[in-house]
Amino acid sequence: MEKLRIGIIGAGGIAQHRHLPTFQKLDDLCEVRAICDVNLARAQEVANSYEIPIVSDDYHEIFSEVDAVCICTPNKFHAEIAVAAFEAGLHVFCEKPMALTAAECEAMIATSKKAGKILDIGFHYRFTKEAQAAKKAMSEVGTPLVVRVKALRQRKVPGWGVFTNKELQGGGSLIDWGCHFLDLALWLIGNPNETEVSGSVYNELSKIPNQPNEWGTFDHETFNVDDHVTAYIKFENGASLLFETSWAANIKSDEEHLSISGVDGGLSVYPFELYTAKNGMLLNSKAPWLPGEEQPDLPQARNFIEACLGKSELVVKPEQALQVSRIIDKIYENGGTLS
Ligand SMILES: NC(=O)c1ccc[n+]([C@@H]2O[C@H](COP(=O)([O-])OP(=O)(O)OC[C@H]3O[C@@H](n4cnc5c(N)ncnc54)[C@H](O)[C@@H]3O)[C@@H](O)[C@H]2O)c1
């Protein structure tokens, strides 16, 4: 059977902890043939661990050796690398968010279409068992009315790597973590066009010196990304989305909440529950078992590879990922200026 030859670009955290082990498990479908990092020593070290034959510090050099690339660099380089890869005739899996801005996403989509190649974005929450169940159960919910998202962490700013670097990442809690829940909410309700977006963007808490933080340390003086964001989004079909995300909230405990109330019923994604009214009764259902895989990494990677090989339809459409970036742009534009 034909195998997809993959090149990894960016040999840091997400490449080492998610994509490389996952592609290794799917060795009947793919082969990681090349790895590139501007930090050549890191690329070489990872190549040694995973027995990857081709190593480079310039992504252009690996293009002729592979059929697809997996972009695992900071957000700032996603669009540039994706466009170059399409121009070289390759398929692209790109980590989330798709790019720094919607304008960059549009350039990525235009070149992927011109090249006739797959463009997939790493919104892996869609491949969780609960999200897959919720997508199926949307037929019980009927026309969606109100969507609620709370992606909140109690004092857990990721104090390592690139996450608090505005130049490299474009923002903080919203573009980094909130984007997953925004994508999931939009996908569940069928990605209707947004008609109004308003928001508020905060980073007061992380600017205060000597704050407790469970996930590493960061410099409160130079901290200039959002750590807490709220938004209200209206859609052309009349639905609305109440959205809140934070890396560092003063709350009782972490929350990952996405619920939808529709005309016929309602649901919660984490945990998966369904709320209906039938035969004059109100029924709340929990699932004792859900089909699917425990970790979303494998089905996400399998879907990308099979889409490249022409065997499956892509789950995360690039136009849907563009909508996420467009809404993020609007929240940052009208959410207020951060110091
Ligand atoms: N899906 C998720 O939940 C999830 C989780 C973590 C990170 N991410 C995303 O993955 C991406 C990388 O994050 P990370 O945590 O692995 O960062 P990281 O800093 O650990 O690794 C990034 C690597 O890219 C390399 N790099 C930078 N510019 C490069 C270039 N032009 N060419 C080649 N290599 C280059 C760096 O040297 C570094 O080794 C980001 O877009 C981030 O948002 C996604």
PDB file of all heavy atoms in Angstrom, residues 100-115:
ATOM      1  N   LEU A 100      -1.516  33.726  11.967  1.00  0.00           N
ATOM      2  CA  LEU A 100      -1.647  34.872  12.889  1.00  0.00           C
ATOM      3  C   LEU A 100      -2.916  35.669  12.634  1.00  0.00           C
ATOM      4  O   LEU A 100      -3.507  36.214  13.565  1.00  0.00           O
ATOM      5  CB  LEU A 100      -0.447  35.822  12.728  1.00  0.00           C
ATOM      6  CG  LEU A 100       0.890  35.406  13.327  1.00  0.00           C
ATOM      7  CD1 LEU A 100       1.890  36.529  13.151  1.00  0.00           C
ATOM      8  CD2 LEU A 100       0.768  35.030  14.799  1.00  0.00           C
ATOM      9  N   THR A 101      -3.314  35.774  11.342  1.00  0.00           N
ATOM     10  CA  THR A 101      -4.487  36.588  10.986  1.00  0.00           C
ATOM     11  C   THR A 101      -5.316  35.886   9.918  1.00  0.00           C
ATOM     12  O   THR A 101      -4.819  34.992   9.221  1.00  0.00           O
ATOM     13  CB  THR A 101      -4.044  37.949  10.385  1.00  0.00           C
ATOM     14  OG1 THR A 101      -3.316  37.664   9.169  1.00  0.00           O
ATOM     15  CG2 THR A 101      -3.168  38.746  11.327  1.00  0.00           C
ATOM     16  N   ALA A 102      -6.561  36.364   9.760  1.00  0.00           N
ATOM     17  CA  ALA A 102      -7.428  35.807   8.716  1.00  0.00           C
ATOM     18  C   ALA A 102      -6.841  36.063   7.330  1.00  0.00           C
ATOM     19  O   ALA A 102      -6.968  35.221   6.434  1.00  0.00           O
ATOM     20  CB  ALA A 102      -8.824  36.408   8.831  1.00  0.00           C
ATOM     21  N   ALA A 103      -6.183  37.199   7.153  1.00  0.00           N
ATOM     22  CA  ALA A 103      -5.590  37.515   5.833  1.00  0.00           C
ATOM     23  C   ALA A 103      -4.543  36.447   5.472  1.00  0.00           C
ATOM     24  O   ALA A 103      -4.484  35.979   4.324  1.00  0.00           O
ATOM     25  CB  ALA A 103      -4.968  38.907   5.855  1.00  0.00           C
ATOM     26  N   GLU A 104      -3.745  36.043   6.439  1.00  0.00           N
ATOM     27  CA  GLU A 104      -2.758  34.984   6.176  1.00  0.00           C
ATOM     28  C   GLU A 104      -3.456  33.660   5.842  1.00  0.00           C
ATOM     29  O   GLU A 104      -3.002  32.915   4.972  1.00  0.00           O
ATOM     30  CB  GLU A 104      -1.851  34.788   7.394  1.00  0.00           C
ATOM     31  CG  GLU A 104      -0.883  35.934   7.625  1.00  0.00           C
ATOM     32  CD  GLU A 104       0.096  35.637   8.766  1.00  0.00           C
ATOM     33  OE1 GLU A 104      -0.050  34.608   9.451  1.00  0.00           O
ATOM     34  OE2 GLU A 104       1.000  36.455   8.973  1.00  0.00           O
ATOM     35  N   CYS A 105      -4.557  33.377   6.551  1.00  0.00           N
ATOM     36  CA  CYS A 105      -5.306  32.132   6.281  1.00  0.00           C
ATOM     37  C   CYS A 105      -5.823  32.133   4.845  1.00  0.00           C
ATOM     38  O   CYS A 105      -5.799  31.100   4.159  1.00  0.00           O
ATOM     39  CB  CYS A 105      -6.505  31.987   7.218  1.00  0.00           C
ATOM     40  SG  CYS A 105      -6.074  31.919   8.962  1.00  0.00           S
ATOM     41  N   GLU A 106      -6.309  33.294   4.390  1.00  0.00           N
ATOM     42  CA  GLU A 106      -6.849  33.373   3.021  1.00  0.00           C
ATOM     43  C   GLU A 106      -5.756  33.067   2.003  1.00  0.00           C
ATOM     44  O   GLU A 106      -5.990  32.369   1.004  1.00  0.00           O
ATOM     45  CB  GLU A 106      -7.462  34.757   2.774  1.00  0.00           C
ATOM     46  CG  GLU A 106      -8.857  34.837   3.365  1.00  0.00           C
ATOM     47  CD  GLU A 106      -9.389  36.255   3.498  1.00  0.00           C
ATOM     48  OE1 GLU A 106      -8.697  37.207   3.094  1.00  0.00           O
ATOM     49  OE2 GLU A 106     -10.501  36.391   4.048  1.00  0.00           O
ATOM     50  N   ALA A 107      -4.545  33.565   2.254  1.00  0.00           N
ATOM     51  CA  ALA A 107      -3.421  33.295   1.332  1.00  0.00           C
ATOM     52  C   ALA A 107      -3.108  31.794   1.323  1.00  0.00           C
ATOM     53  O   ALA A 107      -2.825  31.207   0.267  1.00  0.00           O
ATOM     54  CB  ALA A 107      -2.201  34.099   1.754  1.00  0.00           C
ATOM     55  N   MET A 108      -3.191  31.158   2.494  1.00  0.00           N
ATOM     56  CA  MET A 108      -2.926  29.705   2.572  1.00  0.00           C
ATOM     57  C   MET A 108      -3.972  28.940   1.762  1.00  0.00           C
ATOM     58  O   MET A 108      -3.645  28.021   1.005  1.00  0.00           O
ATOM     59  CB  MET A 108      -2.966  29.238   4.035  1.00  0.00           C
ATOM     60  CG  MET A 108      -1.802  29.751   4.864  1.00  0.00           C
ATOM     61  SD  MET A 108      -2.086  29.602   6.658  1.00  0.00           S
ATOM     62  CE  MET A 108      -1.795  27.877   6.954  1.00  0.00           C
ATOM     63  N   ILE A 109      -5.238  29.322   1.900  1.00  0.00           N
ATOM     64  CA  ILE A 109      -6.314  28.619   1.186  1.00  0.00           C
ATOM     65  C   ILE A 109      -6.168  28.817  -0.324  1.00  0.00           C
ATOM     66  O   ILE A 109      -6.296  27.869  -1.109  1.00  0.00           O
ATOM     67  CB  ILE A 109      -7.696  29.089   1.684  1.00  0.00           C
ATOM     68  CG1 ILE A 109      -7.905  28.633   3.135  1.00  0.00           C
ATOM     69  CG2 ILE A 109      -8.808  28.559   0.800  1.00  0.00           C
ATOM     70  CD1 ILE A 109      -9.187  29.120   3.788  1.00  0.00           C
ATOM     71  N   ALA A 110      -5.857  30.059  -0.715  1.00  0.00           N
ATOM     72  CA  ALA A 110      -5.730  30.342  -2.157  1.00  0.00           C
ATOM     73  C   ALA A 110      -4.616  29.491  -2.775  1.00  0.00           C
ATOM     74  O   ALA A 110      -4.812  28.877  -3.835  1.00  0.00           O
ATOM     75  CB  ALA A 110      -5.455  31.832  -2.376  1.00  0.00           C
ATOM     76  N   THR A 111      -3.465  29.377  -2.101  1.00  0.00           N
ATOM     77  CA  THR A 111      -2.372  28.597  -2.712  1.00  0.00           C
ATOM     78  C   THR A 111      -2.661  27.096  -2.641  1.00  0.00           C
ATOM     79  O   THR A 111      -2.258  26.360  -3.539  1.00  0.00           O
ATOM     80  CB  THR A 111      -0.996  28.865  -2.051  1.00  0.00           C
ATOM     81  OG1 THR A 111      -1.154  29.011  -0.665  1.00  0.00           O
ATOM     82  CG2 THR A 111      -0.296  30.054  -2.639  1.00  0.00           C
ATOM     83  N   SER A 112      -3.375  26.652  -1.598  1.00  0.00           N
ATOM     84  CA  SER A 112      -3.696  25.213  -1.543  1.00  0.00           C
ATOM     85  C   SER A 112      -4.635  24.858  -2.690  1.00  0.00           C
ATOM     86  O   SER A 112      -4.499  23.803  -3.321  1.00  0.00           O
ATOM     87  CB  SER A 112      -4.310  24.820  -0.198  1.00  0.00           C
ATOM     88  OG  SER A 112      -5.660  25.174  -0.134  1.00  0.00           O
ATOM     89  N   LYS A 113      -5.584  25.741  -2.969  1.00  0.00           N
ATOM     90  CA  LYS A 113      -6.537  25.477  -4.068  1.00  0.00           C
ATOM     91  C   LYS A 113      -5.805  25.461  -5.407  1.00  0.00           C
ATOM     92  O   LYS A 113      -6.040  24.601  -6.249  1.00  0.00           O
ATOM     93  CB  LYS A 113      -7.616  26.561  -4.079  1.00  0.00           C
ATOM     94  CG  LYS A 113      -8.584  26.438  -2.914  1.00  0.00           C
ATOM     95  CD  LYS A 113      -9.996  26.837  -3.342  1.00  0.00           C
ATOM     96  CE  LYS A 113     -11.025  26.311  -2.366  1.00  0.00           C
ATOM     97  NZ  LYS A 113     -11.494  27.328  -1.431  1.00  0.00           N
ATOM     98  N   LYS A 114      -4.921  26.439  -5.592  1.00  0.00           N
ATOM     99  CA  LYS A 114      -4.167  26.524  -6.846  1.00  0.00           C
ATOM    100  C   LYS A 114      -3.336  25.253  -7.056  1.00  0.00           C
ATOM    101  O   LYS A 114      -3.254  24.720  -8.159  1.00  0.00           O
ATOM    102  CB  LYS A 114      -3.243  27.752  -6.785  1.00  0.00           C
ATOM    103  CG  LYS A 114      -2.767  28.224  -8.113  1.00  0.00           C
ATOM    104  CD  LYS A 114      -2.133  29.597  -8.014  1.00  0.00           C
ATOM    105  CE  LYS A 114      -1.317  29.853  -9.270  1.00  0.00           C
ATOM    106  NZ  LYS A 114      -0.269  30.811  -9.053  1.00  0.00           N
ATOM    107  N   ALA A 115      -2.769  24.757  -5.948  1.00  0.00           N
ATOM    108  CA  ALA A 115      -1.923  23.563  -6.053  1.00  0.00           C
ATOM    109  C   ALA A 115      -2.760  22.281  -6.075  1.00  0.00           C
ATOM    110  O   ALA A 115      -2.253  21.216  -6.422  1.00  0.00           O
ATOM    111  CB  ALA A 115      -0.956  23.517  -4.866  1.00  0.00           C
TER     112      ALA A 115
END
